[in-house]
């Protein structure tokens, strides 16, 4: 099979013809999902009408709908989907567990606890309003995810094996759910709705200002993921194999875990706990398409969240579901499918 090689400085990769064809297919799929996200809604836009808007023509109202409401929503879904997908991809390679994901490891749970605490502590009981700006919520979510990530990092540094680290992550996730439920009971009815909205995940309130903050961080973390991936992949085979070819196993494991937490933290900070993306996307790319790469995983993850959001706001129109509800509807059966396959493999 024909291959294409690229090498410049520390960056090198090889692509087969089949991989290039699948990459183009993934890009086309993402572009179609973006079109659906921009065109479908109260006001439907044909491809010609949408193209006219991008060259400065078209109706003023349509320009407002597309560029102020739909475009930020689509870009936020893409960014969050890519970051969560790559986070899961790195975790699965490092931990060598097909069920590894930011949700299972408690990273998203840590963000949820921080968010619920924020809503509960900073609510003025007399006015039922937040006593601090709403813009601080993503900071709280991100810090919550990083705190859990640093705890897992500390355990890994102390020599806890990655497999046991997964069990610790599951315990953190369950504990976090209990804390969040307690916070919801302690909050008033207005804050309960806010917490519940974050827990289900949505890109409904996406803005350009949020994207200006989120996108540079995600791009930086994704670049780091591209650079570290070739060192992580040997770990998925075995630590002995990685050591034999000169990979600093412990250092790469710690760096990958930290990077995965950063990606998951920024991914849920602005959109909430959109689940199962970090579980599904790596499997679809690695096993479904035979593309075990960061670039394939981020394209799959971005497409999943954009399409999930389109379905969430159109399937029961004029009523709108949360984006996280749609990813859960798809992801929960997929989770049980993976679990069943792993059980079959262990019984052979």
């Amino acid at each position: 099979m024909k291959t294409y090689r690229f090498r410049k400085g520390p960056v090198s990769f090889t692509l087969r013809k089949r991989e290039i064809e699948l990459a183009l297919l993934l890009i086309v799929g993402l572009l179609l999902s973006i079109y659906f996200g921009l065109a479908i809604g109260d006001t439907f836009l044909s491809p010609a009408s949408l193209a006219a808007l991008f060259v400065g023509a078209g109706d003023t109202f349509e320009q407002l709908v597309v560029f102020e409401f739909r475009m930020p929503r689509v870009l936020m879904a893409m960014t969050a989907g890519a970051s969560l997908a790559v986070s899961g991809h790195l975790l699965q390679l490092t931990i060598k567990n097909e069920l590894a994901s930011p949700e299972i490891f408690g990273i998203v749970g840590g963000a949820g606890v921080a968010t619920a605490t924020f809503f509960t502590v900073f609510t003025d009981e007399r006015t039922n309003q937040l006593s601090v700006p709403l813009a601080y919520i993503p900071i709280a979510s991100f810090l919550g995810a990083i705190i859990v990530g640093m705890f897992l990092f500390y355990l890994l540094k102390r020599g806890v094996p990655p497999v046991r680290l997964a069990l610790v992550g599951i315990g953190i996730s369950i504990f976090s759910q209990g804390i969040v439920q307690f916070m919801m009971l302690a909050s008033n009815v207005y804050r309960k709705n806010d917490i519940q909205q974050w827990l289900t995940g949505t890109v409904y309130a996406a803005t350009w200002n949020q994207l200006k903050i989120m996108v540079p961080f995600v791009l930086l973390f994704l670049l780091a993921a591209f650079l570290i991936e070739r060192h992580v992949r040997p770990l998925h085979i075995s630590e002995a194999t990685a050591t034999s070819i000169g990979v600093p196993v412990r250092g790469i494991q710690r760096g990958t875990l930290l990077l995965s937490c950063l990606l998951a933290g920024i991914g849920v900070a602005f959109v909430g706990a959109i689940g199962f993306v970090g579980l599904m996307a790596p499997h679809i790319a690695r096993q479904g398409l035979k593309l075990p790469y960061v670039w394939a995983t981020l394209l799959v993850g971005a497409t999943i969240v954009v399409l999930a959001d389109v379905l969430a706001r159109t399937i029961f129109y004029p009523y709108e579901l949360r984006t996280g509800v749609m990813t859960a509807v798809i992801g929960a059966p997929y989770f049980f499918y993976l679990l069943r396959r792993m059980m079959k493999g262990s019984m052979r």
Side-chain angles (χ1 to χ4, degrees), residues 35 39 44-54:
Y35 167 72
F44 176 78
L45 298 173
S46 66
S49 299
L50 193 60
L53 294 178
F54 281 94

Side-chain angles (χ1 to χ4, degrees), residues 1-4 15-25 285-293 295:
M1 183 177 292
K2 192 172 183 180
T3 60
Y4 302 88
L15 287 177
R16 299 177 180 86
K17 182 180 178 181
R18 173 184 171 276
E19 292 174 344
I20 295 175
E21 292 171 349
L22 287 175
L24 293 175
L25 184 63
R286 185 171 61 249
Q287 296 178 354
L289 300 175
K290 307 300 181 185
L291 296 173
Y293 309 115
W295 61 264

Side-chain angles (χ1 to χ4, degrees), residues 28-186:
V28 170
L30 178 58
L31 292 175
L32 283 174
S33 69
I34 292 172
Y35 167 72
F36 293 144
L38 296 177
I40 297 176
D42 291 335
T43 303
F44 176 78
L45 298 173
S46 66
S49 299
L50 193 60
L53 294 178
F54 281 94
V55 295
D59 183 80
T60 304
F61 175 73
E62 291 178 348
Q63 289 180 348
L64 176 67
V65 169
V66 171
F67 294 116
E68 295 301 324
F69 298 114
R70 295 182 185 173
M71 182 75 78
R73 186 167 181 163
V74 168
L75 292 177
M76 183 67 78
M78 286 174 54
T79 307
S83 59
L84 290 171
V86 175
S87 175
H89 173 71
L90 294 177
L91 280 176
Q92 290 174 15
L93 286 179
T94 306
I95 307 301
K96 294 184 288 186
N97 188 327
E98 291 186 347
L99 300 181
S101 69
E103 304 86 18
I104 301 298
F105 267 64
I107 300 169
V108 175
V113 170
T115 305
T117 304
F118 179 92
F119 279 121
T120 302
V121 172
F122 295 107
T123 296
D124 190 329
E125 294 297 334
R126 294 174 298 175
T127 62
N128 292 322
Q129 299 294 322
L130 286 174
S131 57
V132 295
L134 199 64
Y136 290 153
I137 293 176
I139 299 176
S141 302
F142 183 73
L143 290 177
I146 296 305
I147 288 172
V148 173
M150 293 305 294
F151 176 66
L152 296 175
F153 180 87
Y154 168 77
L155 294 179
L156 187 63
K157 189 175 181 180
R158 292 295 298 270
V160 176
V163 175
R164 291 188 181 179
L165 204 66
L167 298 177
V168 174
I170 292 172
I172 293 174
S173 181
I174 295 172
F175 179 72
S176 299
Q177 292 175 18
I179 295 295
V180 169
Q181 292 300 318
F182 174 79
M183 289 292 180
M184 291 181 69
L185 290 174

Side-chain angles (χ1 to χ4, degrees), residues 48 58 91 115 126 239 258 278 297 309:
L91 280 176
T115 305
R126 294 174 298 175
E239 291 188 10
L258 179 60
T297 304
D309 183 55

